[in-house]
Amino acid sequence: MASVHESLYFNPMMTNGVVHANVFGIKDWVTPYKISVLVLLSEMTKNTQITVVEKRRLKKQILPLLQGPDISLSKLLKIVGDCCPNFASSVQIRIKLMAEGELKDMEQFFDELSDSFQGTEPDVHKTSVVGLFLRHMILAYNKLSFSQVYKLYTSLQNYFQCDKTKTTTKTENEEADMELTNTEEENEEEQELSEEREMEKEDLDFPIGEEELACSGPLSQKQAEYFLSHQASLLKNDESKALSPVLLQKELNNLLKFNPDFSEAHYLSYLNSLRVQDVFSSTHSLLHYFDRLILTGAESKSNGDEGYGRSLRYAALNLAAVHCRFGHYHQAELALQEAIRIAQESSDHVCLQHCLSWLYILKSRKGEDSSVLLEHSVKKAVHFGLPYLASLGIQFLVQQRAFAGKTADKLMDALKDSDLLHWKHSLSELIDISTAQKTAVWRLYGQSTMALQQAQMLLSMDSLDSVNVSVQQNNTESFAVVLCHLAELHAEQGFFSASSEILKHLRERFPPHSQHAKLWMMFDQKIQFERAMNDGKYHVTESLVTGITALNSVEGLYRKAIVLKAQNQTAEAHKILQVLLTHCQKVKNMEMVIRVLLSLAELYWRSSCHPVALPVLLQALALSREYRLQYLASETVLNLAFSQVGTFQRWL
């Protein structure tokens, strides 16, 4: 079933994927990279040979170049060259003349920048994004002392010289490779060596790897805001394109080194720690975020004294969410009680509604009945005008009623009502969750055709939200769920090659370190297990059982019993199945109860006890019909017929 509780995390940084960051004390300053960007802008206004298409491509790259971190000159020229090949050389020549010339050339360049605003139809408007950037750079340059200007010019020379050295080294390597190829073209060993050297050269030079993204110095305010919004948006919508956990933490540590009170960087560090399931670091970063938020008075400036209380109660709420995520239910309950107490004192109904949502999640995780709390939460969310929480409550309610055996038409009616909320308020993420939920419900009821239809519908949909840097909201948990179901549907029909292709695609979209990787890992292990069992490769299944157990202990125990049954270790398999049956009946996991009963019946067949298997199969049939599990009911009927045939043969 699609998990919906992850969307309940309170994220004070993001509103529709945009981070509200404030970098205290960090202002814009002139760097060699920004001088190169200024040269690019200057050449764009002067060069009349650029076509309309090329100029459009360049303009699309301007905002990332202005707000992004400093990059090397070769990387900048490569970006420009991809948009307009002929234009990149003129930019490089202009930078070369300035770097290899004299200090007065740089002075003259900044003097000429002011002319861009002159005239009745200026090249750049003062209030535009480019105009504001130019004005900031001119102002920052004019504030520099003579010694600072000289240091800036020296930095520009070093910036250009480093790129020149890299280009020279690359050219020498290419010439050396050509000599080796021409001299010994018939020698296979030398050809292999040349290919290896060429691959190493490409890896070192182009494309620029993640390591070059690391900042050597502090970021300006604009750069820090862009970096945080970009990474936070990627973590939410497309984690595979975000920086790796190690490199992202390195960048955040670099930000915090120059500004320890940067609260939003602490929160992004908290989200990054959750990716790798680091309990200590995530809790540490979360507490630091709220400490800095209160100390700097960021909340109190807009909300008065109430801002401090708001930070405290949401700090306790987020702490409860972290403990609940890692299975620390007692600590989560204590933190949740603290958040409820503070919210009640302040009469914060929105925070209380968040607390109520986490309360029924906590109770369900602990195996307690939370249906009354859940229904109350949905009603209160509708009353206070919180469609997001109301819809999440409906999704969770549908999960509970599906496991309780409610009819599909009632569940689909409830999901239809939630879809009306989604489309009315343009909640794109919840539209995806609802469609994935329908796929999971139809799969649970054994309706493979309907599940396939819902899965294809979600995969064919485009997101309503346009997130940053052309990233589409298609790498979320909902897409992982439907792709996993799609892979399992193909495997059940015997199309293991197609299933492998889907799982390969899942590995690319959701790398092993991503937060949703456990979904496809579980399905991958289960599909491999079924294929190995069909091929009779029981020695392969042992390692697969270990992997399944690490992800889901109940599934792992069930698969272990199946392997023992196939190996004719009847007593051990029967013992495990009885333990598993008692546990699943206690937690009301009826799907697993029916599967265990079917396995027990098969054990009785193997022991030539067909009459003993009949009441077990009748119990499984009654449960599957009660909970409307059509696929398991059909399988039970077939097993019942086989058992009756075996009983009749014994009588004969």
Side-chain angles (χ1 to χ4, degrees), residues 39-297:
V39 171
L40 170 64
L41 297 173
S42 177
E43 289 296 316
M44 284 181 63
T45 58
K46 295 179 180 179
N47 198 325
T48 58
Q49 298 180 352
I50 307 178
T51 63
V52 177
V53 177
E54 291 175 341
K55 184 171 288 189
R56 187 181 298 118
R57 292 175 188 167
L58 280 173
K59 288 180 178 179
K60 288 182 179 180
Q61 298 294 333
I62 291 300
L63 190 60
L65 291 175
L66 296 183
Q67 296 181 338
D70 292 4
I71 58 177
S72 65
L73 181 58
S74 58
K75 179 66 175 178
L76 175 62
L77 294 175
K78 184 176 184 298
I79 294 173
V80 177
D82 292 340
C83 301
C84 181
N86 298 327
F87 184 62
S89 58
S90 62
V91 174
Q92 185 178 17
I93 292 172
R94 182 72 182 273
I95 297 173
K96 179 182 178 181
L97 293 174
M98 191 186 305
E100 294 182 350
E102 298 179 358
L103 182 59
K104 64 179 182 180
D105 296 328
M106 187 175 71
E107 287 277 358
Q108 184 179 357
F109 171 72
F110 276 92
D111 291 338
E112 293 174 355
L113 285 179
S114 302
D115 298 337
S116 303
F117 304 111
Q118 304 298 327
T120 56
E121 295 184 359
D123 297 327
V124 180
H125 293 280
K126 292 183 178 181
T127 56
S128 65
V129 175
V130 175
L132 290 173
F133 176 74
L134 291 177
R135 290 164 62 189
H136 287 166
M137 290 299 101
I138 294 172
L139 183 62
Y141 181 79
N142 291 334
K143 288 183 177 181
L144 296 178
S145 63
F146 179 78
S147 59
Q148 291 173 331
V149 171
Y150 180 76
K151 289 180 180 179
L152 175 62
Y153 182 70
T154 306
S155 300
L156 177 64
Q157 290 178 321
N158 295 333
Y159 181 72
F160 177 77
Q161 194 64 33
C162 290
D163 178 73
K164 184 178 179 181
T165 304
K166 181 185 292 188
T167 306
T168 305
T169 306
K170 177 185 174 183
T171 305
E172 292 176 354
N173 289 339
E174 289 177 350
E175 293 176 355
D177 291 341
M178 291 178 61
E179 292 177 1
L180 285 172
T181 304
N182 294 331
T183 306
E184 304 180 8
E185 57 181 355
E186 295 180 358
N187 193 323
E188 295 181 357
E189 295 181 358
E190 291 295 326
Q191 287 179 355
E192 293 175 358
L193 177 62
S194 177
E195 290 175 359
E196 291 176 0
R197 290 184 60 187
E198 185 177 354
M199 290 175 62
E200 291 175 359
K201 169 181 66 62
E202 291 177 356
D203 292 340
L204 290 173
D205 293 336
F206 295 96
I208 304 301
E210 285 186 340
E211 291 77 7
E212 191 162 329
L213 292 172
C215 303
S216 57
L219 296 177
S220 67
Q221 180 176 348
K222 295 292 184 182
Q223 289 175 327
E225 289 176 351
Y226 177 79
F227 174 76
L228 285 179
S229 63
H230 181 42
Q231 292 301 316
S233 176
L234 289 176
L235 287 181
K236 180 185 177 184
N237 301 305
D238 197 353
E239 190 177 346
S240 61
K241 294 183 180 179
L243 295 181
S244 63
V246 176
L247 187 59
L248 179 56
Q249 193 60 45
K250 181 180 178 182
E251 291 288 344
L252 293 173
N253 291 339
N254 185 53
L255 282 174
L256 294 171
K257 179 176 67 175
F258 294 100
N259 190 355
D261 293 331
F262 195 177
S263 58
E264 284 79 4
H266 285 290
Y267 195 87
L268 189 58
S269 177
Y270 154 70
L271 296 178
N272 189 45
S273 300
L274 288 180
R275 298 167 67 190
V276 293
Q277 305 296 312
D278 190 343
V279 184
F280 175 78
S281 297
S282 59
T283 308
H284 179 77
S285 298
L286 181 64
L287 294 177
H288 269 291
Y289 165 72
F290 283 101
D291 287 345
R292 298 305 191 279
L293 197 65
I294 295 172
L295 289 174
T296 54

Side-chain angles (χ1 to χ4, degrees), residues 291-450:
D291 287 345
R292 298 305 191 279
L293 197 65
I294 295 172
L295 289 174
T296 54
E299 287 286 339
S300 61
K301 288 178 182 177
S302 57
N303 299 324
D305 295 335
E306 173 62 19
Y308 295 108
R310 183 177 187 275
S311 298
L312 289 174
R313 53 184 176 266
Y314 277 110
L317 178 60
N318 275 266
L319 192 60
V322 172
H323 286 305
C324 185
R325 179 174 182 141
F326 290 110
H328 309 152
Y329 300 131
H330 179 65
Q331 292 90 332
E333 189 172 0
L334 293 176
L336 198 55
Q337 289 175 359
E338 179 70 12
I340 293 172
R341 183 186 62 81
I342 302 174
Q344 286 176 339
E345 291 177 356
S346 305
S347 299
D348 188 345
H349 298 290
V350 176
C351 184
L352 283 172
Q353 189 59 39
H354 278 280
C355 293
L356 184 59
S357 301
W358 275 106
L359 190 60
Y360 70 69
I361 289 172
L362 186 59
K363 283 187 174 294
S364 63
R365 290 284 188 90
K366 294 165 67 175
E368 301 176 7
D369 185 16
S370 61
S371 56
V372 178
L373 272 177
L374 187 53
E375 293 177 3
H376 180 65
S377 173
V378 173
K379 292 177 182 177
K380 296 293 285 185
V382 174
H383 174 72
F384 290 113
L386 301 172
Y388 197 92
L389 286 180
S391 177
L392 286 175
I394 294 173
Q395 301 290 333
F396 208 94
L397 197 59
V398 167
Q399 283 190 14
Q400 286 191 348
R401 291 181 176 176
F403 289 126
K406 299 296 181 181
T407 57
D409 58 335
K410 293 182 179 179
L411 299 182
M412 293 303 151
D413 284 342
L415 289 174
K416 180 192 69 176
D417 294 338
S418 68
D419 286 341
L420 292 176
L421 284 175
H422 304 157
W423 292 107
K424 181 179 179 181
H425 299 279
S426 299
L427 301 173
S428 175
E429 182 182 2
L430 293 183
I431 293 172
D432 298 343
I433 291 176
S434 178
T435 309
Q437 193 85 286
K438 293 174 186 176
T439 305
V441 168
W442 288 122
R443 284 285 295 141
L444 179 67
Y445 286 167
Q447 300 286 347
S448 58
T449 304
M450 295 300 297

